[in-house]
């Protein structure tokens, strides 16, 4: 059987199949071209009793599956020229980690009563009334502890009042001459 006579009538069907599977006309055309190259290069090695249509579609199907798997592994391809510069830039994580460490250290240095109120209200989003009930203290006490705790945190994070942000029981050593 003549290669051209056997394969040429299959090209429109191959294009439809590849287009439906890949949902991209240009990509489907490229894939059909790759399929035809394989058909031509392996024409002599095919089994004669095999149906040519089935053989050609099997090659196309395998190429499509390989392409879909490759795309799934690689992810979405976007031309670098089309990407906005802001999408490529990311803020440095080091500064965030340092600030987070400073915050955690300053929070740990607060007295337990202020730390617990700050964590319940500011982190866990409890209302003043809920925090007061949980801690078994009046709402006014929750509000004053929260205000004092936030003030101490602010001073500690600004580098002021290191003594105010020092953990309870920690002794300051002074140098005596």
């Amino acid at each position: 059987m003549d290669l051209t006579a056997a394969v040429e009538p299959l090209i429109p069907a191959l294009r439809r199949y590849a287009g439906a599977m890949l949902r991209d006309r240009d990509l489907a055309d490229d894939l059909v071209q790759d399929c035809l190259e394989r058909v031509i290069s392996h024409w002599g090695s095919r089994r004669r009793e095999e149906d040519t249509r089935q053989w050609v579609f099997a090659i196309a199907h395998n190429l499509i599956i390989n392409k879909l798997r490759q795309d799934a592994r690689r992810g979405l391809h976007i031309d670098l020229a089309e990407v906005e510069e802001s999408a490529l830039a990311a803020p440095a994580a080091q500064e965030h980690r340092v600030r987070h460490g400073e915050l955690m250290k300053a929070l740990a240095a607060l007295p337990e009563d202020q730390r617990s109120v700050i964590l319940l209200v500011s982190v866990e989003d409890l209302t003043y009334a809920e925090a007061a009930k949980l801690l078994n203290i009046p709402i006014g006490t929750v509000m004053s502890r929260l205000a004092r705790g936030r003030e101490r945190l602010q001073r500690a994070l600004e580098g002021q009042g290191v003594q105010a942000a020092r953990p309870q029981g920690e002794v300051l050593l002074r140098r005596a001459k």
Side-chain angles (χ1 to χ4, degrees), residues 65-111:
I65 296 302
N66 289 343
K67 177 66 178 154
L68 292 173
R69 286 180 183 160
Q70 181 184 46
D71 289 350
R73 279 191 314 268
R74 290 185 178 173
L76 181 64
H77 174 74
I78 300 173
D79 189 6
L80 191 58
E82 296 174 9
V83 178
E84 291 189 30
E85 189 174 331
S86 62
L88 298 174
Q94 298 90 339
E95 184 177 338
H96 175 71
R97 280 191 224 121
V98 168
R99 294 293 293 167
H100 181 264
E102 290 172 352
L103 175 64
M104 296 309 291
K105 185 185 278 187
L107 192 58
L110 289 176

Side-chain angles (χ1 to χ4, degrees), residues 111-118 120-121 127-150:
E112 184 273 326
D113 58 342
Q114 291 175 4
R115 183 174 55 240
S116 64
V117 170
I118 286 178
L120 290 172
V121 173
T127 65
Y128 293 173
E130 291 169 333
K133 186 175 181 181
L134 183 87
L135 297 171
N136 200 23
I137 57 176
I139 289 180
T141 305
V142 168
M143 293 167 51
S144 65
R145 286 181 184 176
L146 187 61
R148 286 194 314 267
R150 285 177 175 166

